[in-house]
Amino acid sequence: MRCLDKVVLLLLLLSGECFSKEQGKVPPCDEIRDVLADVQPQIEVKLGYFFFDSSTMSNVYNQGGIDVQLSGSYPVGGWLQLYGSVEFIEKHGHSQGSNSKVWLTEVPLSLGLKPTFTIRPDILYYFAFGPRYSFVQTSTNYPYVKKNENSSGVGLFVNTGFDFILWRHFLIDIFGEYSYVPISFSNSPNNVYGQRVQVGGFTFGAGFGYAF
């Protein structure tokens, strides 16, 4: 790519910030490459809507669905990054066959690999995949059922999305995610859900981040 082309692309990314104090003077191409290479490691706060993959869980926890995430990634070589995240998911609804209220709180921890590809200097495409550990707590006001029960399980996750660089190192992330995490509830009554369930599902949302 010619030096002039790189200058134009960088102007789109930095909104004219690549110009020096001396009017009209453009930094050399090596400096432009250094600036573009900075958008690699990043940290993000994401907010999405979560719904269960399991129809049984969806019938019970049919309200709410907030998913708050804190994620980060760090390059380990070329286009490949190491990815990690911690999430907070909350769902609520009513048990089947009664009007008893039920709540579910889930805290998934994910660690995986994140290939990232540059579509334009200000637009990146990525997908991430790897293992996930989830801690789950369920609560109910049903009079003959244990009020709170905790469980956990190991599964898998995969997510994908686009990072849009807004200005310098700040970005907006539009993403989608799927997870599969089977867990067991030893004391779960049949009128709520089976003892072994899939607590993973789909999340769609957006995030705001900083690329170092």
Side-chain angles (χ1 to χ4, degrees):
M1 183 182 293
R2 296 176 303 170
C3 181
L4 181 59
D5 294 335
K6 294 182 178 180
V7 172
V8 173
L9 292 175
L10 187 61
L11 287 176
L12 294 175
L13 176 62
L14 301 182
S15 301
E17 288 295 321
C18 68
F19 285 100
S20 66
K21 294 181 180 179
E22 187 175 339
Q23 182 66 28
K25 185 176 180 180
V26 180
C29 289
D30 288 342
E31 184 176 342
I32 294 173
R33 282 193 293 268
D34 291 341
V35 173
L36 296 180
D38 284 342
V39 288
Q40 291 295 328
Q42 62 189 51
I43 186 169
E44 294 183 52
V45 176
K46 301 179 182 181
L47 180 64
Y49 183 83
F50 171 83
F51 55 96
F52 288 108
D53 179 30
S54 166
S55 58
T56 300
M57 296 294 287
S58 296
N59 290 336
V60 176
Y61 299 97
N62 55 5
Q63 301 175 24
I66 185 174
D67 185 340
V68 180
Q69 304 184 18
L70 176 64
S71 67
S73 57
Y74 190 85
V76 293
W79 45 266
L80 188 62
Q81 294 182 312
L82 183 65
Y83 173 86
S85 71
V86 57
E87 301 180 33
F88 175 84
I89 299 172
E90 185 176 75
K91 294 278 287 184
H92 52 92
H94 295 83
S95 62
Q96 297 178 355
S98 72
N99 291 322
S100 301
K101 294 182 179 181
V102 291
W103 299 266
L104 180 143
T105 301
E106 184 174 351
V107 180
L109 305 174
S110 304
L111 182 65
L113 296 175
K114 178 184 174 183
T116 303
F117 307 94
T118 301
I119 298 177
R120 289 174 24 181
D122 57 345
I123 300 178
L124 305 176
Y125 168 74
Y126 71 87
F127 67 93
F129 59 93
R132 165 171 289 185
Y133 173 82
S134 289
F135 172 81
V136 180
Q137 181 180 73
T138 60
S139 304
T140 180
N141 65 353
Y142 193 67
Y144 305 110
V145 177
K146 185 178 179 180
K147 297 301 181 182
N148 299 295
E149 184 173 1
N150 300 326
S151 188
S152 60
V154 177
L156 301 170
F157 82 95
V158 59
N159 65 37
T160 186
F162 292 90
D163 289 336
F164 299 88
I165 311 298
L166 299 179
W167 179 76
R168 286 192 178 272
H169 303 289
F170 295 97
L171 61 91
I172 292 291
D173 180 12
I174 306 298
F175 74 94
E177 180 178 272
Y178 173 77
S179 61
Y180 176 79
V181 184
I183 66 172
S184 297
F185 287 101
S186 59
N187 297 319
S188 175
N190 291 330
N191 68 329
V192 178
Y193 41 74
Q195 289 189 345
R196 187 167 179 83
V197 293
Q198 208 286 82
V199 297
F202 298 89
T203 300
F204 297 97
F208 181 75
Y210 183 86
F212 296 92

